[in-house]
Amino acid sequence: MTRSSVDQEGAAPHARHAGGPGMGGETEGGRSDHRRDRGHKRRAEPGPPRPKRRILRWSALTLAVVILGTAGAGYLYYEHLNANIQKDKLNLGDSDVPKATPNAAGQTPLNVLLIGSDSRNTAQDLKLGGSKADVGRPPLADVQMLVHVSADRTNMSVVSLPRDTMIPIPRCTDPHTGHKYPALSLAMANESLGRGGPGCTVATWQKLTDIHIDHFMMVDFSGVVDMADAIGGVPVCVKQNVWSHTSDGHGSGLKLKAGTTYVKGQQALQWLRTRYGFEDGTDLGRTHAQHMYMSAMVRQMRKNATLTNPGAMRSLAETATKALKVDEGLGTIAKLYDLSEEFKKVPTKRITMTTLPTVQWSQDHDRLVPAPEDAEQLMSMVRDDTALDGRGAKPKATEAAAKTATDPDGKISVQVRNGTGSDTEAPAPQRASAVAGILQGKGFTQAAADTTPATEAKTTVLYPSADLEGDAQAVAKALGIPLKQVRKSTDVSGVTLLVGADWRTGTAYKAPAQPTKAPSTAAVLNGDKKDACMPVQPGFTW
């Protein structure tokens, strides 16, 4: 594995990310830490503006206006603001994931990846935290959230990935230099951004979730200060007095009294960056605090649907557009407005914020890995376009359109891999050989065990190219595997059956029941919950 993406605390070679929240990490005693949050360089010279289009209010923080769809207000200076927006390639990986099949009304889900960079390459970012030693180093994607809007636009699911999570990162190519970064079998989730740009983070998510990403939006956390002021503050709550500060210089500096406070400016940034002081002092607690802030901000901005001060409106628009970097398919005010209109169709009560369930990594307890069953349950619901809040209709068993096999069963070569193991459970012995034997008994005489290491929560059939899709479906149908568990993948060279943790024993595959609600380990927060209040970590009260 490559070098860890974190700066070390003391001399420990595997020090856990202690800083950085919201858009990155915390400033601890003036020292540099890759985990502290930074943002992106602001660009664009002011030019002669001309009013052109009425659009929603903006925020530079992840699930702000554009993301969660606030009401439109004010005339923005269209061409000038277009020039502010930075653009980059959507996907820098070697493969893509097909879009979801349209529903009966011809609608498809919308998936947008939100990225918060900890870059320290501006004077303003350094002033907010960090040191000159951080200037020029590869940025880290310290905030990653997948926003999934249902095909019928009735609900929205938000899934956060803790940055301490160890996941595979695919090979990526830097679009500006042509440099090729090799694939990593396991690395810190936040390393992907430094391997060519946000398009590598998109490719990493697609590999992790098998969900097609339509767009990305990367934001500059230094804009949070201006954004919070422009919207009049965001209400947040703590159960006790909290002070994120230690004697050796750790902490964001956040100091609040128990109860609800409208945080603005740098105090809002401190809230989003606080790790020491919330819950158990881990990155998970910080993620939960970010969800609380974002939910409150959306409600606040939808409540105050307009800005009456044109100067404030212009300042807000300037700040937000300079803070954004988006994919090329989303690089104009008009396209961002159209996207916001889709988000606005979802009521706040149907917005569900979650965190990908994780467990401690056996090789380093300061790191996390996706929880084998709960993480797959959560992501399978997103893939199947099932609402995470349990309020939607009960999911129906849907199948992809069947393809005709190009070869008879006896001539289909099938490699069977044992993917029944996990970080917490050893693989079932000789499982690939056993299932290969089952296939042979059903007429697939060229089925054979493959010793390539694999881990898969749900049994899946993979195929590398469209001409083998029918053959792969034939294998699935013979074993009773739902066709939605058959997918294209460039990680295999032929039809490959990954026997997952859901089929460790027995000769017949039993498809797991479709979940109707996110697992409790996903730390669900409903967008309409107004009484959410952060627990304070012992030792951080005053």
Side-chain angles (χ1 to χ4, degrees), residues 68-69 298-305 343-344 346-348:
L68 295 184
V298 171
R299 293 193 303 269
Q300 185 75 1
M301 297 185 78
R302 287 189 174 183
K303 177 182 177 182
N304 302 326
F343 285 126
K344 285 167 58 179
V346 181
T348 54

Side-chain angles (χ1 to χ4, degrees), residues 47-72:
R50 64 183 179 90
K52 183 171 182 180
R53 192 168 183 178
R54 180 176 176 272
I55 75 170
L56 80 170
R57 302 190 310 168
W58 300 76
S59 170
L61 175 66
T62 52
L63 294 187
V65 190
V66 171
I67 306 308
L68 295 184
T70 64

Side-chain angles (χ1 to χ4, degrees), residues 38-53:
R38 299 298 179 269
H40 292 284
K41 189 173 182 178
R42 301 192 173 204
R43 329 182 313 169
E45 294 297 329
R50 64 183 179 90
K52 183 171 182 180
R53 192 168 183 178

